[in-house]
Amino acid sequence: MTDGSETDGAEPVRFLVENGIAHITLNRPDAGNAIDLPMARALADIANRCQIDAAIRCVVLTGSGRLFCAGGDIGAFRAAGDDVEAMLLDLAGTLHVAVARFARMAKPLLTLVNGPAAGAGLSLAIAGDVVLCGASAHFTAAYGGIGLTPDGGMSWLLPRLIGLRKAQEMILTNRRVKADEAERIGLVTRTVGDDALAAEGAAIAQSLARAATGAVGAARALLRDTFQTSLETQLETEALSISRAGASAEGREGVAAYFAKRPPDFIGG
């Protein structure tokens, strides 16, 4: 079933909510799904919806066509002329609203990297809690080649995923990382054949949508903050989090299902 929340095919981002799963598809295939201001605004609006809509239990982000996302729309940079500084501030700031909402929403984000990802496209690709990529995908920071610096959260997330040394190499030298290496160094969760990406992604999304969304959201917050807190602070936060989870409807259902020797029903429970 669908809730009818689907954009027109001509929109820069397609959006569909079905069976508790929000499907977001970057939809400028002729431009490599490059991010312009309309796409950034659409992503910010959709991210807001994903954060506040209780019917959405899992969010899936992918691209249409051959590429996942080529990054920012360089043609728009050139067209801005002397106003490029203001234009880039607006574009990056709008995109960052979406990135922050996706990072802080209390539900999991799954990214399906269907092809090459560069620049801010790389930032979006690696933003997922689970990142599945097709064998034809590859990843390039790309900014230095056109005299720019990272955006989309890349300089924050990349060192946390693959370590500072490899992040330095990717960002400063623009070295392309292919799909098999991306899995090996922890840039993505898993690499699958291109023809298996959609089915594998659907299975993971369905599993996440059936999970205890409240607990998943709290776990996301714990993981996000772990590099910025002391052990003692993290231990106290964990204690408060697990106590709240245990008293929640999800926690009660999970315990009841365990003793009843049945699968938990976190959607109805």
Side-chain angles (χ1 to χ4, degrees):
M1 291 178 62
T2 174
D3 72 351
S5 302
E6 185 173 14
T7 63
D8 183 83
E11 293 295 320
V13 182
R14 296 201 307 267
F15 181 56
L16 170 68
V17 180
E18 189 173 25
N19 297 325
I21 302 170
H23 299 272
I24 304 169
T25 306
L26 307 178
N27 191 38
R28 300 185 68 211
D30 293 342
N33 296 321
I35 304 168
D36 60 3
L37 196 52
M39 177 181 279
R41 286 172 175 160
L43 281 171
D45 289 344
I46 289 168
N48 286 339
R49 163 75 184 275
C50 290
Q51 185 178 41
I52 66 175
D53 189 343
I56 295 173
R57 302 178 59 84
C58 174
V59 179
V60 180
L61 174 65
T62 192
S64 60
R66 190 180 64 84
L67 275 69
F68 174 77
C69 177
D73 189 333
I74 300 175
F77 303 171
R78 181 174 62 178
D82 292 341
D83 295 326
V84 68
E85 183 175 0
M87 178 265 177
L88 281 171
L89 187 61
D90 191 13
L91 178 62
T94 304
L95 176 64
H96 291 174
V97 170
V99 171
R101 294 288 187 273
F102 286 136
R104 295 189 179 278
M105 65 184 178
K107 52 204 73 176
L109 174 64
L110 166 65
T111 52
L112 303 180
V113 188
N114 56 295
L122 169 55
S123 300
L124 290 177
I126 62 177
D129 300 291
V130 179
V131 181
L132 208 62
C133 81
S136 66
H138 54 72
F139 304 86
T140 313
Y143 294 96
I146 54 173
L148 298 178
T149 56
D151 66 345
M154 184 187 298
S155 61
W156 188 91
L157 188 54
L158 200 59
R160 286 165 169 77
L161 291 173
I162 64 174
L164 178 60
R165 186 61 70 214
K166 286 193 175 296
Q168 288 171 320
E169 181 186 27
M170 283 192 69
I171 291 173
L172 301 182
T173 73
N174 287 324
R175 187 175 74 83
R176 176 179 293 181
V177 173
K178 295 183 178 179
D180 56 346
E181 182 184 1
E183 179 179 349
R184 188 169 66 251
I185 66 176
L187 189 63
V188 305
T189 307
R190 187 155 48 93
T191 297
V192 300
D194 290 331
D195 56 354
L197 183 64
E200 291 277 351
I204 294 172
Q206 289 164 14
S207 176
L208 289 171
R210 291 192 298 267
T213 303
V216 168
R220 291 184 94 221
L222 287 168
L223 290 167
R224 183 182 64 240
D225 294 341
T226 188
F227 288 98
Q228 301 167 24
T229 61
S230 66
L231 172 60
E232 291 76 12
T233 298
Q234 192 76 1
L235 287 169
E236 178 62 15
T237 305
E238 285 185 345
L240 292 171
S241 181
I242 195 171
S243 64
R244 285 192 295 264
S248 70
E250 287 181 347
R252 295 178 190 280
E253 164 62 13
V255 171
Y258 175 84
F259 283 105
K261 295 181 170 54
R262 61 172 174 81
D265 178 9
F266 292 120
I267 298 176

